[in-house]
Amino acid sequence: MEAMSPDQVKSPRRAQILDEAAQLFAARGFHGVSVDEIGAASGITGPGLYRHFRGKDAMLAELLVGISERLLAGGRACVAGDAPAAEALDALVRGHVAFAIGEPALIVLHDRDLASLPEAEQRTVRRLQRAYVEIWVTVVLEAYPGFGRTSDGESRARAAVHAVFGLLNSTPHSATRHRGPRPPGPDAMAELLRTLALGAFAAAGS
């Protein structure tokens, strides 16, 4: 992935371009969007985009590696203190719910276009994700000792974490298929997802 100067990292224009790229990639697929279209959505000419990114691949890499880094940093912050495991798990759930509700385009992008990244960036994303999962597994095992009463407790806890991720990350997909009465607003949906996630851990770890 291309190196970034501090000015680039802080650039509102760069952030805007990434946001527009994420929305377009999520709606039409990475290969269905051109640099010129991203530039038009960002209010900048296609060639001008190359002052910020060397191309679409660099945008995709920064989006997917960037969100993996942010989730891992957030997970580490949740367990950095001496709070009880149940409180740390609640913080982890709240943080992931906020991501799922606030940035659904990145979930769609990851699910569909991770394979479009160069192999090195794919490995980076997977390494960051494994570290994030292990934070959750450690906390779940401590919060729910029932997992430890069986010989495969750690494997079951890890499977439970992945299942909860599947639940939380399904939010942008289910929203697009919603029919009938208006779905819950963001705050109500966040609380519903938190309740379901913690309930799933409690049931599996009892």
Side-chain angles (χ1 to χ4, degrees), residues 85 89 136-164 197-206:
L89 181 59
W136 282 68
V137 172
T138 299
V139 173
V140 167
L141 287 169
E142 186 176 347
Y144 296 103
F147 280 108
R149 298 192 187 107
T150 61
S151 59
D152 63 343
E154 184 173 332
S155 295
R156 291 179 65 246
R158 186 170 289 104
V161 168
H162 282 291
V164 167
L198 294 175
F201 287 129
S206 61

PDB file of all heavy atoms in Angstrom, residues 85 89 136-164 197-206:
ATOM      1  N   ALA A  85     -14.484  -8.448  32.810  1.00  0.00           N
ATOM      2  CA  ALA A  85     -14.613  -8.987  31.454  1.00  0.00           C
ATOM      3  C   ALA A  85     -15.973  -8.683  30.853  1.00  0.00           C
ATOM      4  O   ALA A  85     -16.074  -8.397  29.655  1.00  0.00           O
ATOM      5  CB  ALA A  85     -14.363 -10.491  31.467  1.00  0.00           C
ATOM      6  N   LEU A  89     -16.485  -6.838  27.321  1.00  0.00           N
ATOM      7  CA  LEU A  89     -17.223  -7.442  26.214  1.00  0.00           C
ATOM      8  C   LEU A  89     -18.340  -6.515  25.747  1.00  0.00           C
ATOM      9  O   LEU A  89     -18.571  -6.367  24.536  1.00  0.00           O
ATOM     10  CB  LEU A  89     -17.797  -8.791  26.639  1.00  0.00           C
ATOM     11  CG  LEU A  89     -18.572  -9.547  25.560  1.00  0.00           C
ATOM     12  CD1 LEU A  89     -17.693  -9.815  24.343  1.00  0.00           C
ATOM     13  CD2 LEU A  89     -19.131 -10.855  26.119  1.00  0.00           C
ATOM     14  N   TRP A 136     -11.523 -10.646  21.252  1.00  0.00           N
ATOM     15  CA  TRP A 136     -12.879 -11.052  21.620  1.00  0.00           C
ATOM     16  C   TRP A 136     -12.875 -12.423  22.302  1.00  0.00           C
ATOM     17  O   TRP A 136     -13.552 -12.620  23.312  1.00  0.00           O
ATOM     18  CB  TRP A 136     -13.774 -11.088  20.384  1.00  0.00           C
ATOM     19  CG  TRP A 136     -14.252  -9.763  19.902  1.00  0.00           C
ATOM     20  CD1 TRP A 136     -13.498  -8.765  19.355  1.00  0.00           C
ATOM     21  CD2 TRP A 136     -15.604  -9.290  19.897  1.00  0.00           C
ATOM     22  NE1 TRP A 136     -14.290  -7.706  19.008  1.00  0.00           N
ATOM     23  CE2 TRP A 136     -15.580  -8.001  19.325  1.00  0.00           C
ATOM     24  CE3 TRP A 136     -16.817  -9.835  20.309  1.00  0.00           C
ATOM     25  CZ2 TRP A 136     -16.743  -7.244  19.172  1.00  0.00           C
ATOM     26  CZ3 TRP A 136     -17.979  -9.094  20.156  1.00  0.00           C
ATOM     27  CH2 TRP A 136     -17.938  -7.803  19.598  1.00  0.00           C
ATOM     28  N   VAL A 137     -12.151 -13.374  21.735  1.00  0.00           N
ATOM     29  CA  VAL A 137     -12.139 -14.726  22.288  1.00  0.00           C
ATOM     30  C   VAL A 137     -11.638 -14.713  23.729  1.00  0.00           C
ATOM     31  O   VAL A 137     -12.222 -15.352  24.615  1.00  0.00           O
ATOM     32  CB  VAL A 137     -11.280 -15.656  21.420  1.00  0.00           C
ATOM     33  CG1 VAL A 137     -11.105 -17.019  22.087  1.00  0.00           C
ATOM     34  CG2 VAL A 137     -11.918 -15.839  20.041  1.00  0.00           C
ATOM     35  N   THR A 138     -10.571 -13.989  23.969  1.00  0.00           N
ATOM     36  CA  THR A 138     -10.014 -13.911  25.323  1.00  0.00           C
ATOM     37  C   THR A 138     -11.041 -13.352  26.308  1.00  0.00           C
ATOM     38  O   THR A 138     -11.216 -13.881  27.418  1.00  0.00           O
ATOM     39  CB  THR A 138      -8.753 -13.027  25.323  1.00  0.00           C
ATOM     40  OG1 THR A 138      -7.775 -13.618  24.462  1.00  0.00           O
ATOM     41  CG2 THR A 138      -8.178 -12.887  26.719  1.00  0.00           C
ATOM     42  N   VAL A 139     -11.728 -12.298  25.918  1.00  0.00           N
ATOM     43  CA  VAL A 139     -12.710 -11.670  26.800  1.00  0.00           C
ATOM     44  C   VAL A 139     -13.925 -12.582  26.991  1.00  0.00           C
ATOM     45  O   VAL A 139     -14.455 -12.708  28.109  1.00  0.00           O
ATOM     46  CB  VAL A 139     -13.135 -10.296  26.245  1.00  0.00           C
ATOM     47  CG1 VAL A 139     -14.272  -9.707  27.061  1.00  0.00           C
ATOM     48  CG2 VAL A 139     -11.949  -9.342  26.234  1.00  0.00           C
ATOM     49  N   VAL A 140     -14.389 -13.208  25.930  1.00  0.00           N
ATOM     50  CA  VAL A 140     -15.553 -14.100  26.038  1.00  0.00           C
ATOM     51  C   VAL A 140     -15.254 -15.260  26.978  1.00  0.00           C
ATOM     52  O   VAL A 140     -16.093 -15.631  27.819  1.00  0.00           O
ATOM     53  CB  VAL A 140     -15.958 -14.616  24.634  1.00  0.00           C
ATOM     54  CG1 VAL A 140     -16.941 -15.788  24.746  1.00  0.00           C
ATOM     55  CG2 VAL A 140     -16.593 -13.493  23.815  1.00  0.00           C
ATOM     56  N   LEU A 141     -14.078 -15.849  26.878  1.00  0.00           N
ATOM     57  CA  LEU A 141     -13.716 -16.956  27.764  1.00  0.00           C
ATOM     58  C   LEU A 141     -13.694 -16.525  29.226  1.00  0.00           C
ATOM     59  O   LEU A 141     -14.068 -17.288  30.124  1.00  0.00           O
ATOM     60  CB  LEU A 141     -12.352 -17.518  27.362  1.00  0.00           C
ATOM     61  CG  LEU A 141     -12.319 -18.349  26.082  1.00  0.00           C
ATOM     62  CD1 LEU A 141     -10.878 -18.615  25.657  1.00  0.00           C
ATOM     63  CD2 LEU A 141     -13.071 -19.657  26.269  1.00  0.00           C
ATOM     64  N   GLU A 142     -13.262 -15.296  29.462  1.00  0.00           N
ATOM     65  CA  GLU A 142     -13.227 -14.792  30.839  1.00  0.00           C
ATOM     66  C   GLU A 142     -14.618 -14.405  31.328  1.00  0.00           C
ATOM     67  O   GLU A 142     -14.965 -14.647  32.485  1.00  0.00           O
ATOM     68  CB  GLU A 142     -12.296 -13.588  30.927  1.00  0.00           C
ATOM     69  CG  GLU A 142     -12.094 -13.081  32.355  1.00  0.00           C
ATOM     70  CD  GLU A 142     -11.094 -11.942  32.432  1.00  0.00           C
ATOM     71  OE1 GLU A 142     -10.382 -11.690  31.449  1.00  0.00           O
ATOM     72  OE2 GLU A 142     -11.041 -11.297  33.504  1.00  0.00           O
ATOM     73  N   ALA A 143     -15.427 -13.828  30.451  1.00  0.00           N
ATOM     74  CA  ALA A 143     -16.756 -13.379  30.851  1.00  0.00           C
ATOM     75  C   ALA A 143     -17.720 -14.541  31.053  1.00  0.00           C
ATOM     76  O   ALA A 143     -18.632 -14.453  31.897  1.00  0.00           O
ATOM     77  CB  ALA A 143     -17.319 -12.419  29.800  1.00  0.00           C
ATOM     78  N   TYR A 144     -17.526 -15.617  30.303  1.00  0.00           N
ATOM     79  CA  TYR A 144     -18.436 -16.764  30.372  1.00  0.00           C
ATOM     80  C   TYR A 144     -17.627 -18.033  30.627  1.00  0.00           C
ATOM     81  O   TYR A 144     -17.255 -18.745  29.687  1.00  0.00           O
ATOM     82  CB  TYR A 144     -19.254 -16.889  29.086  1.00  0.00           C
ATOM     83  CG  TYR A 144     -20.167 -15.704  28.865  1.00  0.00           C
ATOM     84  CD1 TYR A 144     -19.843 -14.715  27.951  1.00  0.00           C
ATOM     85  CD2 TYR A 144     -21.345 -15.562  29.597  1.00  0.00           C
ATOM     86  CE1 TYR A 144     -20.674 -13.615  27.767  1.00  0.00           C
ATOM     87  CE2 TYR A 144     -22.177 -14.469  29.428  1.00  0.00           C
ATOM     88  CZ  TYR A 144     -21.836 -13.504  28.509  1.00  0.00           C
ATOM     89  OH  TYR A 144     -22.654 -12.419  28.337  1.00  0.00           O
ATOM     90  N   PRO A 145     -17.366 -18.340  31.901  1.00  0.00           N
ATOM     91  CA  PRO A 145     -16.546 -19.508  32.239  1.00  0.00           C
ATOM     92  C   PRO A 145     -17.126 -20.819  31.737  1.00  0.00           C
ATOM     93  O   PRO A 145     -16.403 -21.817  31.648  1.00  0.00           O
ATOM     94  CB  PRO A 145     -16.523 -19.476  33.778  1.00  0.00           C
ATOM     95  CG  PRO A 145     -16.798 -18.050  34.138  1.00  0.00           C
ATOM     96  CD  PRO A 145     -17.741 -17.557  33.091  1.00  0.00           C
ATOM     97  N   GLY A 146     -18.415 -20.828  31.399  1.00  0.00           N
ATOM     98  CA  GLY A 146     -19.017 -22.053  30.893  1.00  0.00           C
ATOM     99  C   GLY A 146     -18.307 -22.597  29.665  1.00  0.00           C
ATOM    100  O   GLY A 146     -18.305 -23.813  29.437  1.00  0.00           O
ATOM    101  N   PHE A 147     -17.706 -21.718  28.878  1.00  0.00           N
ATOM    102  CA  PHE A 147     -16.965 -22.198  27.716  1.00  0.00           C
ATOM    103  C   PHE A 147     -15.804 -23.090  28.135  1.00  0.00           C
ATOM    104  O   PHE A 147     -15.436 -24.022  27.429  1.00  0.00           O
ATOM    105  CB  PHE A 147     -16.420 -21.025  26.896  1.00  0.00           C
ATOM    106  CG  PHE A 147     -17.429 -20.376  25.998  1.00  0.00           C
ATOM    107  CD1 PHE A 147     -17.927 -19.120  26.307  1.00  0.00           C
ATOM    108  CD2 PHE A 147     -17.880 -21.006  24.857  1.00  0.00           C
ATOM    109  CE1 PHE A 147     -18.854 -18.496  25.468  1.00  0.00           C
ATOM    110  CE2 PHE A 147     -18.813 -20.395  24.018  1.00  0.00           C
ATOM    111  CZ  PHE A 147     -19.302 -19.143  24.332  1.00  0.00           C
ATOM    112  N   GLY A 148     -15.221 -22.790  29.302  1.00  0.00           N
ATOM    113  CA  GLY A 148     -14.050 -23.535  29.745  1.00  0.00           C
ATOM    114  C   GLY A 148     -14.356 -24.877  30.371  1.00  0.00           C
ATOM    115  O   GLY A 148     -13.439 -25.624  30.718  1.00  0.00           O
ATOM    116  N   ARG A 149     -15.617 -25.217  30.497  1.00  0.00           N
ATOM    117  CA  ARG A 149     -15.988 -26.489  31.122  1.00  0.00           C
ATOM    118  C   ARG A 149     -15.954 -27.651  30.146  1.00  0.00           C
ATOM    119  O   ARG A 149     -16.201 -28.794  30.529  1.00  0.00           O
ATOM    120  CB  ARG A 149     -17.382 -26.381  31.743  1.00  0.00           C
ATOM    121  CG  ARG A 149     -17.466 -25.341  32.858  1.00  0.00           C
ATOM    122  CD  ARG A 149     -18.749 -25.458  33.643  1.00  0.00           C
ATOM    123  NE  ARG A 149     -18.880 -24.361  34.594  1.00  0.00           N
ATOM    124  CZ  ARG A 149     -19.734 -23.350  34.454  1.00  0.00           C
ATOM    125  NH1 ARG A 149     -20.547 -23.314  33.404  1.00  0.00           N
ATOM    126  NH2 ARG A 149     -19.804 -22.392  35.347  1.00  0.00           N
ATOM    127  N   THR A 150     -15.668 -27.384  28.894  1.00  0.00           N
ATOM    128  CA  THR A 150     -15.565 -28.436  27.896  1.00  0.00           C
ATOM    129  C   THR A 150     -14.188 -28.395  27.260  1.00  0.00           C
ATOM    130  O   THR A 150     -13.515 -27.351  27.250  1.00  0.00           O
ATOM    131  CB  THR A 150     -16.631 -28.268  26.790  1.00  0.00           C
ATOM    132  OG1 THR A 150     -16.437 -27.014  26.133  1.00  0.00           O
ATOM    133  CG2 THR A 150     -18.037 -28.297  27.389  1.00  0.00           C
ATOM    134  N   SER A 151     -13.756 -29.533  26.728  1.00  0.00           N
ATOM    135  CA  SER A 151     -12.415 -29.621  26.164  1.00  0.00           C
ATOM    136  C   SER A 151     -12.243 -28.735  24.939  1.00  0.00           C
ATOM    137  O   SER A 151     -11.124 -28.320  24.617  1.00  0.00           O
ATOM    138  CB  SER A 151     -12.100 -31.077  25.797  1.00  0.00           C
ATOM    139  OG  SER A 151     -13.043 -31.567  24.850  1.00  0.00           O
ATOM    140  N   ASP A 152     -13.343 -28.466  24.258  1.00  0.00           N
ATOM    141  CA  ASP A 152     -13.262 -27.619  23.063  1.00  0.00           C
ATOM    142  C   ASP A 152     -13.797 -26.220  23.323  1.00  0.00           C
ATOM    143  O   ASP A 152     -14.263 -25.547  22.408  1.00  0.00           O
ATOM    144  CB  ASP A 152     -14.030 -28.268  21.907  1.00  0.00           C
ATOM    145  CG  ASP A 152     -15.530 -28.405  22.199  1.00  0.00           C
ATOM    146  OD1 ASP A 152     -15.910 -28.298  23.386  1.00  0.00           O
ATOM    147  OD2 ASP A 152     -16.299 -28.616  21.249  1.00  0.00           O
ATOM    148  N   GLY A 153     -13.703 -25.777  24.574  1.00  0.00           N
ATOM    149  CA  GLY A 153     -14.278 -24.490  24.956  1.00  0.00           C
ATOM    150  C   GLY A 153     -13.725 -23.319  24.162  1.00  0.00           C
ATOM    151  O   GLY A 153     -14.479 -22.433  23.745  1.00  0.00           O
ATOM    152  N   GLU A 154     -12.414 -23.307  23.941  1.00  0.00           N
ATOM    153  CA  GLU A 154     -11.832 -22.185  23.200  1.00  0.00           C
ATOM    154  C   GLU A 154     -12.323 -22.177  21.760  1.00  0.00           C
ATOM    155  O   GLU A 154     -12.634 -21.113  21.202  1.00  0.00           O
ATOM    156  CB  GLU A 154     -10.310 -22.241  23.238  1.00  0.00           C
ATOM    157  CG  GLU A 154      -9.650 -21.051  22.557  1.00  0.00           C
ATOM    158  CD  GLU A 154      -8.132 -21.019  22.744  1.00  0.00           C
ATOM    159  OE1 GLU A 154      -7.652 -21.542  23.768  1.00  0.00           O
ATOM    160  OE2 GLU A 154      -7.462 -20.467  21.856  1.00  0.00           O
ATOM    161  N   SER A 155     -12.406 -23.349  21.142  1.00  0.00           N
ATOM    162  CA  SER A 155     -12.915 -23.420  19.773  1.00  0.00           C
ATOM    163  C   SER A 155     -14.370 -22.972  19.705  1.00  0.00           C
ATOM    164  O   SER A 155     -14.780 -22.273  18.761  1.00  0.00           O
ATOM    165  CB  SER A 155     -12.796 -24.850  19.238  1.00  0.00           C
ATOM    166  OG  SER A 155     -11.443 -25.235  19.122  1.00  0.00           O
ATOM    167  N   ARG A 156     -15.157 -23.349  20.711  1.00  0.00           N
ATOM    168  CA  ARG A 156     -16.559 -22.936  20.745  1.00  0.00           C
ATOM    169  C   ARG A 156     -16.675 -21.429  20.937  1.00  0.00           C
ATOM    170  O   ARG A 156     -17.529 -20.773  20.327  1.00  0.00           O
ATOM    171  CB  ARG A 156     -17.316 -23.681  21.847  1.00  0.00           C
ATOM    172  CG  ARG A 156     -17.504 -25.161  21.577  1.00  0.00           C
ATOM    173  CD  ARG A 156     -18.250 -25.853  22.709  1.00  0.00           C
ATOM    174  NE  ARG A 156     -19.612 -25.338  22.815  1.00  0.00           N
ATOM    175  CZ  ARG A 156     -20.068 -24.638  23.850  1.00  0.00           C
ATOM    176  NH1 ARG A 156     -19.272 -24.326  24.864  1.00  0.00           N
ATOM    177  NH2 ARG A 156     -21.312 -24.231  23.873  1.00  0.00           N
ATOM    178  N   ALA A 157     -15.824 -20.867  21.781  1.00  0.00           N
ATOM    179  CA  ALA A 157     -15.850 -19.413  21.991  1.00  0.00           C
ATOM    180  C   ALA A 157     -15.476 -18.687  20.707  1.00  0.00           C
ATOM    181  O   ALA A 157     -16.092 -17.675  20.352  1.00  0.00           O
ATOM    182  CB  ALA A 157     -14.891 -19.031  23.117  1.00  0.00           C
ATOM    183  N   ARG A 158     -14.487 -19.202  19.992  1.00  0.00           N
ATOM    184  CA  ARG A 158     -14.076 -18.563  18.742  1.00  0.00           C
ATOM    185  C   ARG A 158     -15.200 -18.668  17.703  1.00  0.00           C
ATOM    186  O   ARG A 158     -15.474 -17.712  16.970  1.00  0.00           O
ATOM    187  CB  ARG A 158     -12.793 -19.208  18.221  1.00  0.00           C
ATOM    188  CG  ARG A 158     -12.208 -18.499  17.004  1.00  0.00           C
ATOM    189  CD  ARG A 158     -10.821 -19.003  16.654  1.00  0.00           C
ATOM    190  NE  ARG A 158      -9.841 -18.560  17.648  1.00  0.00           N
ATOM    191  CZ  ARG A 158      -9.332 -19.343  18.596  1.00  0.00           C
ATOM    192  NH1 ARG A 158      -9.703 -20.624  18.676  1.00  0.00           N
ATOM    193  NH2 ARG A 158      -8.479 -18.862  19.468  1.00  0.00           N
ATOM    194  N   ALA A 159     -15.856 -19.824  17.649  1.00  0.00           N
ATOM    195  CA  ALA A 159     -16.985 -19.978  16.729  1.00  0.00           C
ATOM    196  C   ALA A 159     -18.109 -19.025  17.098  1.00  0.00           C
ATOM    197  O   ALA A 159     -18.771 -18.452  16.214  1.00  0.00           O
ATOM    198  CB  ALA A 159     -17.472 -21.417  16.741  1.00  0.00           C
ATOM    199  N   ALA A 160     -18.340 -18.841  18.394  1.00  0.00           N
ATOM    200  CA  ALA A 160     -19.382 -17.914  18.839  1.00  0.00           C
ATOM    201  C   ALA A 160     -19.054 -16.482  18.442  1.00  0.00           C
ATOM    202  O   ALA A 160     -19.931 -15.714  18.025  1.00  0.00           O
ATOM    203  CB  ALA A 160     -19.565 -18.018  20.356  1.00  0.00           C
ATOM    204  N   VAL A 161     -17.783 -16.106  18.555  1.00  0.00           N
ATOM    205  CA  VAL A 161     -17.376 -14.754  18.154  1.00  0.00           C
ATOM    206  C   VAL A 161     -17.636 -14.550  16.666  1.00  0.00           C
ATOM    207  O   VAL A 161     -18.201 -13.526  16.256  1.00  0.00           O
ATOM    208  CB  VAL A 161     -15.880 -14.520  18.485  1.00  0.00           C
ATOM    209  CG1 VAL A 161     -15.371 -13.246  17.808  1.00  0.00           C
ATOM    210  CG2 VAL A 161     -15.688 -14.425  19.998  1.00  0.00           C
ATOM    211  N   HIS A 162     -17.250 -15.513  15.850  1.00  0.00           N
ATOM    212  CA  HIS A 162     -17.485 -15.372  14.411  1.00  0.00           C
ATOM    213  C   HIS A 162     -18.981 -15.322  14.102  1.00  0.00           C
ATOM    214  O   HIS A 162     -19.409 -14.580  13.207  1.00  0.00           O
ATOM    215  CB  HIS A 162     -16.825 -16.525  13.655  1.00  0.00           C
ATOM    216  CG  HIS A 162     -15.348 -16.378  13.483  1.00  0.00           C
ATOM    217  ND1 HIS A 162     -14.782 -15.420  12.677  1.00  0.00           N
ATOM    218  CD2 HIS A 162     -14.300 -17.058  14.046  1.00  0.00           C
ATOM    219  CE1 HIS A 162     -13.462 -15.512  12.713  1.00  0.00           C
ATOM    220  NE2 HIS A 162     -13.146 -16.497  13.537  1.00  0.00           N
ATOM    221  N   ALA A 163     -19.771 -16.093  14.830  1.00  0.00           N
ATOM    222  CA  ALA A 163     -21.218 -16.077  14.604  1.00  0.00           C
ATOM    223  C   ALA A 163     -21.811 -14.719  14.961  1.00  0.00           C
ATOM    224  O   ALA A 163     -22.681 -14.197  14.246  1.00  0.00           O
ATOM    225  CB  ALA A 163     -21.892 -17.172  15.422  1.00  0.00           C
ATOM    226  N   VAL A 164     -21.340 -14.129  16.044  1.00  0.00           N
ATOM    227  CA  VAL A 164     -21.824 -12.806  16.432  1.00  0.00           C
ATOM    228  C   VAL A 164     -21.393 -11.764  15.414  1.00  0.00           C
ATOM    229  O   VAL A 164     -22.166 -10.866  15.062  1.00  0.00           O
ATOM    230  CB  VAL A 164     -21.347 -12.450  17.858  1.00  0.00           C
ATOM    231  CG1 VAL A 164     -21.557 -10.962  18.150  1.00  0.00           C
ATOM    232  CG2 VAL A 164     -22.096 -13.287  18.891  1.00  0.00           C
ATOM    233  N   ALA A 197     -26.387  -9.889  20.586  1.00  0.00           N
ATOM    234  CA  ALA A 197     -25.003 -10.357  20.654  1.00  0.00           C
ATOM    235  C   ALA A 197     -24.670 -10.873  22.043  1.00  0.00           C
ATOM    236  O   ALA A 197     -24.138 -11.988  22.197  1.00  0.00           O
ATOM    237  CB  ALA A 197     -24.044  -9.236  20.261  1.00  0.00           C
ATOM    238  N   LEU A 198     -24.976 -10.100  23.057  1.00  0.00           N
ATOM    239  CA  LEU A 198     -24.673 -10.532  24.422  1.00  0.00           C
ATOM    240  C   LEU A 198     -25.495 -11.744  24.804  1.00  0.00           C
ATOM    241  O   LEU A 198     -25.014 -12.639  25.519  1.00  0.00           O
ATOM    242  CB  LEU A 198     -24.913  -9.383  25.402  1.00  0.00           C
ATOM    243  CG  LEU A 198     -23.963  -8.166  25.240  1.00  0.00           C
ATOM    244  CD1 LEU A 198     -24.370  -7.046  26.183  1.00  0.00           C
ATOM    245  CD2 LEU A 198     -22.510  -8.582  25.469  1.00  0.00           C
ATOM    246  N   GLY A 199     -26.746 -11.801  24.347  1.00  0.00           N
ATOM    247  CA  GLY A 199     -27.574 -12.956  24.613  1.00  0.00           C
ATOM    248  C   GLY A 199     -27.009 -14.223  23.979  1.00  0.00           C
ATOM    249  O   GLY A 199     -27.074 -15.304  24.559  1.00  0.00           O
ATOM    250  N   ALA A 200     -26.467 -14.089  22.782  1.00  0.00           N
ATOM    251  CA  ALA A 200     -25.878 -15.251  22.112  1.00  0.00           C
ATOM    252  C   ALA A 200     -24.672 -15.784  22.887  1.00  0.00           C
ATOM    253  O   ALA A 200     -24.527 -16.994  23.070  1.00  0.00           O
ATOM    254  CB  ALA A 200     -25.463 -14.851  20.693  1.00  0.00           C
ATOM    255  N   PHE A 201     -23.806 -14.898  23.356  1.00  0.00           N
ATOM    256  CA  PHE A 201     -22.673 -15.328  24.150  1.00  0.00           C
ATOM    257  C   PHE A 201     -23.116 -15.992  25.452  1.00  0.00           C
ATOM    258  O   PHE A 201     -22.577 -17.028  25.857  1.00  0.00           O
ATOM    259  CB  PHE A 201     -21.745 -14.160  24.450  1.00  0.00           C
ATOM    260  CG  PHE A 201     -20.934 -13.691  23.285  1.00  0.00           C
ATOM    261  CD1 PHE A 201     -20.901 -12.345  22.930  1.00  0.00           C
ATOM    262  CD2 PHE A 201     -20.176 -14.581  22.536  1.00  0.00           C
ATOM    263  CE1 PHE A 201     -20.141 -11.908  21.856  1.00  0.00           C
ATOM    264  CE2 PHE A 201     -19.411 -14.157  21.459  1.00  0.00           C
ATOM    265  CZ  PHE A 201     -19.403 -12.809  21.108  1.00  0.00           C
ATOM    266  N   ALA A 202     -24.110 -15.384  26.099  1.00  0.00           N
ATOM    267  CA  ALA A 202     -24.589 -15.943  27.365  1.00  0.00           C
ATOM    268  C   ALA A 202     -25.175 -17.345  27.160  1.00  0.00           C
ATOM    269  O   ALA A 202     -24.937 -18.256  27.956  1.00  0.00           O
ATOM    270  CB  ALA A 202     -25.633 -15.011  27.982  1.00  0.00           C
ATOM    271  N   ALA A 203     -25.930 -17.516  26.088  1.00  0.00           N
ATOM    272  CA  ALA A 203     -26.540 -18.818  25.819  1.00  0.00           C
ATOM    273  C   ALA A 203     -25.475 -19.864  25.492  1.00  0.00           C
ATOM    274  O   ALA A 203     -25.528 -21.002  25.978  1.00  0.00           O
ATOM    275  CB  ALA A 203     -27.542 -18.697  24.669  1.00  0.00           C
ATOM    276  N   ALA A 204     -24.519 -19.493  24.688  1.00  0.00           N
ATOM    277  CA  ALA A 204     -23.479 -20.451  24.282  1.00  0.00           C
ATOM    278  C   ALA A 204     -22.516 -20.776  25.416  1.00  0.00           C
ATOM    279  O   ALA A 204     -21.960 -21.878  25.471  1.00  0.00           O
ATOM    280  CB  ALA A 204     -22.702 -19.893  23.087  1.00  0.00           C
ATOM    281  N   GLY A 205     -22.318 -19.813  26.330  1.00  0.00           N
ATOM    282  CA  GLY A 205     -21.342 -20.004  27.397  1.00  0.00           C
ATOM    283  C   GLY A 205     -21.938 -20.438  28.711  1.00  0.00           C
ATOM    284  O   GLY A 205     -21.231 -20.497  29.727  1.00  0.00           O
ATOM    285  N   SER A 206     -23.207 -20.754  28.727  1.00  0.00           N
ATOM    286  CA  SER A 206     -23.859 -21.156  29.995  1.00  0.00           C
ATOM    287  C   SER A 206     -23.544 -22.601  30.351  1.00  0.00           C
ATOM    288  O   SER A 206     -23.117 -23.373  29.493  1.00  0.00           O
ATOM    289  CB  SER A 206     -25.370 -20.976  29.862  1.00  0.00           C
ATOM    290  OG  SER A 206     -25.884 -21.789  28.828  1.00  0.00           O
TER     291      SER A 206
END
